């Protein structure tokens, strides 16, 4: 049995490969076009897992190459991470996002169908909840979104639902991630985007390493504990473990499941920044600036379904997340 991991050299994919290698004996095949990652991740994964991981540099839009992979490796299931994920960029370049994320996924699904491989775990996002009416957010909440990145996730969720409705021999897990941060405890893999980051933790890291002078906190007049935005930060290794549970579930049940992967706890920007400063004993200068357009006040998950269906819940604390995020940078950058 072989499992295909699209986007497996990326941030969440690479952490999932680490967890997978502990729990399954299937051959692991990573396919990634290295658009937002690099080959060094493969060597790092071999170091951590002590396993031979097969890597293929290719694009999910290349249907013929996908057919070659399915023929050669007899793929029996897929975890599909490959995609572009920057909200701002998706507004500027919608066609790039729709092509890469939606057309790419359709290419993958066509090949899966052709080769009778009907088990897929898909990376969705809490962004599909838009501005939630109720907190914590349940999977049954109304779905909406405001940008092409979010639409690409919603459309793929709909495509997967339609496929399952037309053929219930598929097994599909749609996982809606909240805000992954942190890094593998080895410090060998983690997240280090190039350029000026959009997301909070990568920005804090750039300030911690003096690549940027100070953090801009986007607004302190939200209706939250201290006025700054509240999010459900989840350790990437906990998130990765959720994929192992989801894979196990779809291997044993022909169902479509849509499940939140979060901790169920919301922390404000200031709470996160202060925790980072404390556990790493490093100063993070910050300024309060205007709200970022499109931001919502609060977003955190109801995690009951994940516990009930997957028997999964997050384990790591905000302190662990802040320590591990910085630990990775200390090993790799500083
Ligand atoms: P990432 O950019 O680190 O990893 C994605 C990987 O996919 C990269 O290595 C990239 O090179 C690859 N890729 C992109 N398009 C491809 C294509 N057409 N063919 C082959 N490879 C391709 O991102 P991540 O944070 O690991 O996110 C993984 C998935 O989870 C994405 O689908 C993302 O939208 C989703 N997600 C991420 C977050 C987050 O905050 N990180 C939150 C919710 C959902
Ligand atoms: N944020 C911030 N400064 C930054 C980046 C983010 O104050 O440089 C805030 C943002 O307004 C939000 C929280 O941090 O309240 C998380 O933002 P991120 O972009 O990481 O995740 P998302 O908003 O997509 O959930």
């Amino acid at each position: 049995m072989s499992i295909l991991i699209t986007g497996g050299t990326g941030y969440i994919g690479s952490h999932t490969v680490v967890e997978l290698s502990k729990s399954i004996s299937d051959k692991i095949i990573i396919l990634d076009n290295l658009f937002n990652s690099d080959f060094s991740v493969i060597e790092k994964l071999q170091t951590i897992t002590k396993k031979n991981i097969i890597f293929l540099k290719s694009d999910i839009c290349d249907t013929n190459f996908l057919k070659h992979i399915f023929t050669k490796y007899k793929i029996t299931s897929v975890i599909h991470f490959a995609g572009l994920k920057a909200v701002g960029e998706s507004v500027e370049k919608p066609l790039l996002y729709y092509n890469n994320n939606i057309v790419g996924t359709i290419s993958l699904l066509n090949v899966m169908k052709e080769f009778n491989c009907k088990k897929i775990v898909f990376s969705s996002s809490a962004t599909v909840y838009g501005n939630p009416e109720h907190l914590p957010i349940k999977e049954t909440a109304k779905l909406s979104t405001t940008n092409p990145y979010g639409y690409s996730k919603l459309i793929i969720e709909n495509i997967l639902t339609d496929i399952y409705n037309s053929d219930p021999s598929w097994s599909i897990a749609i996982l809606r991630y909240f805000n992954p941060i942190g890094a593998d405890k080895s410090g060998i893999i983690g997240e280090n985007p190039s350029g000026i980051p959009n997301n909070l933790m990568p920005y804090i890291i750039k300030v911690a390493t003096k690549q940027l002078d100070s953090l801009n906190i986007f607004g302190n007049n939200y209706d939250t504990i201290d006025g700054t935005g509240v999010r459900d930060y989840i350790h990437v290794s906990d998130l990765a473990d959720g994929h192992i549970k989801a894979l196990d579930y779809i291997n044993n049940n022909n169902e479509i499941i849509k499940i939140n992967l979060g901790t169920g706890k919301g922390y404000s920007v200031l709470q996160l920044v202060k925790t980072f400063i404390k556990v790493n004993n490093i100063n993070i200068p910050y300024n309060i600036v205007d709200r970022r357009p499109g931001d919502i006040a609060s977003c955190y998950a109801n995690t009951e379904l994940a516990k009930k269906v997957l028997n999964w819940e997050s384990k790591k604390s905000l302190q662990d997340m802040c320590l591990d995020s910085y630990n990775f940078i200390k090993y790799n950058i500083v």
Side-chain angles (χ1 to χ4, degrees), residues 179 198-200 215-218 229 231 233 269 292 295:
N179 290 53
N198 293 308
N199 297 113
L200 181 58
L215 170 72
N216 289 325
I217 295 184
F218 299 137
R231 298 289 183 276
Y233 298 98
V269 177
R292 180 171 65 178
D295 267 359

Side-chain angles (χ1 to χ4, degrees), residues 107-176:
S107 156
L108 174 68
L109 291 168
N110 272 324
V111 177
M112 289 180 68
K113 182 171 159 40
E114 184 177 332
F115 285 79
N116 202 31
C117 168
K118 295 182 175 177
K119 297 181 195 309
I120 183 168
V121 178
F122 171 64
S123 303
S124 189
S125 166
T127 195
V128 299
Y129 295 119
N131 194 353
E133 282 171 8
H134 303 287
L135 292 166
I137 307 171
K138 280 189 176 175
E139 287 81 353
T140 49
K142 209 168 77 194
L143 304 183
S144 72
T145 188
T146 53
N147 57 73
Y149 168 70
Y151 279 115
S152 75
K153 293 295 177 195
L154 262 185
I155 290 167
I156 296 167
E157 285 205 7
N158 287 342
I159 291 171
L160 290 169
T161 308
D162 289 342
I163 288 176
Y164 179 79
N165 288 339
S166 71
D167 177 0
S169 65
W170 280 75
S171 309
I172 300 173
I174 292 173
L175 303 179
R176 295 178 180 150

Side-chain angles (χ1 to χ4, degrees), residues 188-209:
I188 296 174
I189 53 169
E191 187 181 30
N192 181 34
S194 52
I196 297 186
N198 293 308
N199 297 113
L200 181 58
M201 182 57 89
Y203 205 106
I204 292 175
I205 292 291
K206 297 268 179 192
V207 177
T209 52

